[in-house]
C-alpha cells in the first residue's frame, strides 16, 4: 500500500509540473503573438491628428510644424520641380490635394518598408514618407490615384503597392483625370 501512495503522489507531482510547463509555454506563445502580430505601434501609426498648413504640389504637403510629407506610393504631375516645366494635369492634381487636405486635420501612417531610412525620402529636403488619412478615414494617397490625379509610384517598395496599381488600372480603364483624352 505505501508504494501505491508514493506512486499517486509522484503522479500528481508530475501532472503539476506538466501543467506548469504548459502554462509557461502558453505564456511565451501569447507574448510572442502580442509582440509580432499586434496592431502597429506608434512607430508605424501616429494616432494624433495634425493640421496640413499648405499643399506644395499634388503629392507633397507641409504640416503646421513645417514638416514636409511626401505621400507614399503616389506620383502626380510636376508643378514645382526646379528642372521641369509644369506638367499636363499637374495644376489639377495640386488643386485636388489642396481641396482635400489644406487647413484640415489628417492622420499620418508610416510604411515599414521605409523604416530603414527613418521614413525619409532621398531628396535634399528629406521629406517624411507617409500615408495621409483624412478624419473620415479616407486614404488620400489612394484617392488621388482612384480619381486619376496621379499614378502608382512603384520605384520603391511599399505595403499597398498592389492596391495602388489596381486603382491606377481602374482609373485608366475609366479614362479618369490623367487618363482622359488630351
Amino acid at each position: 500500500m505505501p508504494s501505491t501512495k508514493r506512486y499517486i503522489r509522484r503522479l500528481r507531482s508530475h501532472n503539476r509540473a506538466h501543467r506548469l510547463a504548459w502554462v509557461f509555454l502558453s505564456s511565451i506563445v501569447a507574448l510572442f503573438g502580442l509582440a509580432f502580430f499586434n496592431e502597429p505601434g506608434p512607430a508605424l501609426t501616429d494616432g494624433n491628428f495634425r493640421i496640413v498648413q499648405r499643399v506644395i504640389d499634388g503629392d507633397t504637403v507641409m504640416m503646421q510644424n513645417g514638416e514636409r510629407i511626401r505621400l507614399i506610393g503616389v506620383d502626380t504631375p510636376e508643378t514645382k520641380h526646379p528642372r521641369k516645366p509644369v506638367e499636363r494635369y499637374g495644376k489639377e492634381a495640386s488643386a485636388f490635394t489642396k481641396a482635400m487636405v489644406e487647413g484640415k486635420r489628417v492622420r499620418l501612417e508610416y510604411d515599414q518598408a521605409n523604416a530603414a531610412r527613418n521614413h525619409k525620402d532621398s531628396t535634399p529636403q528629406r521629406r517624411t514618407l507617409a500615408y495621409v488619412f483624412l478624419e473620415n478615414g479616407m486614404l488620400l494617397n489612394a484617392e488621388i490615384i482612384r480619381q486619376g490625379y496621379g499614378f502608382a509610384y512603384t520605384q520603391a517598395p511599399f505595403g499597398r503597392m498592389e492596391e495602388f496599381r489596381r486603382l491606377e488600372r481602374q482609373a485608366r480603364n475609366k479614362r479618369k483625370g490623367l487618363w482622359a483624352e488630351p
Side-chain angles (χ1 to χ4, degrees), residues 77-90:
E78 296 298 336
T79 59
K80 306 264 172 125
H81 196 282
R83 294 182 305 271
K84 293 182 182 179
V86 173
E87 295 177 335
R88 178 182 165 274
Y89 222 70

Side-chain angles (χ1 to χ4, degrees), residues 12-28:
R12 284 182 184 156
S13 175
H14 175 70
N15 285 343
R16 195 174 312 127
H18 191 59
R19 277 191 307 250
L20 286 174
W22 274 108
V23 167
F24 177 74
L25 183 60
S26 299
S27 299
I28 296 296

Side-chain angles (χ1 to χ4, degrees), residues 10-179:
R10 237 183 328 160
L11 189 59
R12 284 182 184 156
S13 175
H14 175 70
N15 285 343
R16 195 174 312 127
H18 191 59
R19 277 191 307 250
L20 286 174
W22 274 108
V23 167
F24 177 74
L25 183 60
S26 299
S27 299
I28 296 296
V29 170
L31 287 173
F32 177 80
L34 287 173
F36 292 100
F37 300 109
N38 203 3
E39 291 288 319
L44 295 177
T45 302
D46 182 351
N48 298 324
F49 282 87
R50 303 184 205 174
I51 306 285
V52 174
Q53 179 182 345
R54 70 183 177 95
V55 171
I56 296 170
D57 68 7
D59 54 32
T60 307
V61 299
M62 182 180 289
M63 306 308 289
Q64 259 186 344
N65 66 358
E67 181 180 22
R68 289 176 183 246
I69 305 296
R70 170 68 167 85
L71 280 62
I72 295 174
V74 61
D75 198 11
T76 61
E78 296 298 336
T79 59
K80 306 264 172 125
H81 196 282
R83 294 182 305 271
K84 293 182 182 179
V86 173
E87 295 177 335
R88 178 182 165 274
Y89 222 70
K91 289 182 181 179
E92 292 85 348
S94 289
F96 177 79
T97 302
K98 185 175 184 174
M100 295 296 286
V101 296
E102 193 166 270
K104 297 179 182 168
R105 292 168 22 109
V106 298
R107 180 178 59 81
L108 304 179
E109 186 174 297
Y110 308 105
D111 196 301
Q112 190 59 42
N114 300 306
R117 295 186 310 200
N118 201 25
H119 304 290
K120 302 287 184 184
D121 69 4
S122 58
T123 63
Q125 298 91 3
R126 300 285 295 152
R127 299 172 295 185
T128 301
L129 299 167
Y131 298 110
V132 176
F133 287 89
L134 283 64
E135 282 190 286
N136 66 5
M138 179 187 291
L139 174 56
L140 176 64
N141 312 47
E143 194 62 23
I144 289 170
I145 298 169
R146 179 181 290 111
Q147 298 300 326
Y149 290 104
F151 53 91
Y153 182 76
T154 58
Q155 300 301 314
F158 60 99
R160 296 174 180 262
M161 187 179 291
E162 290 309 312
E163 173 190 353
F164 286 13
R165 283 181 172 164
R166 180 182 50 78
L167 291 171
E168 181 181 322
R169 280 191 305 274
Q170 290 172 353
R172 282 177 186 252
N173 291 339
K174 293 177 181 177
R175 300 195 178 286
K176 289 180 127 184
L178 283 167
W179 317 117

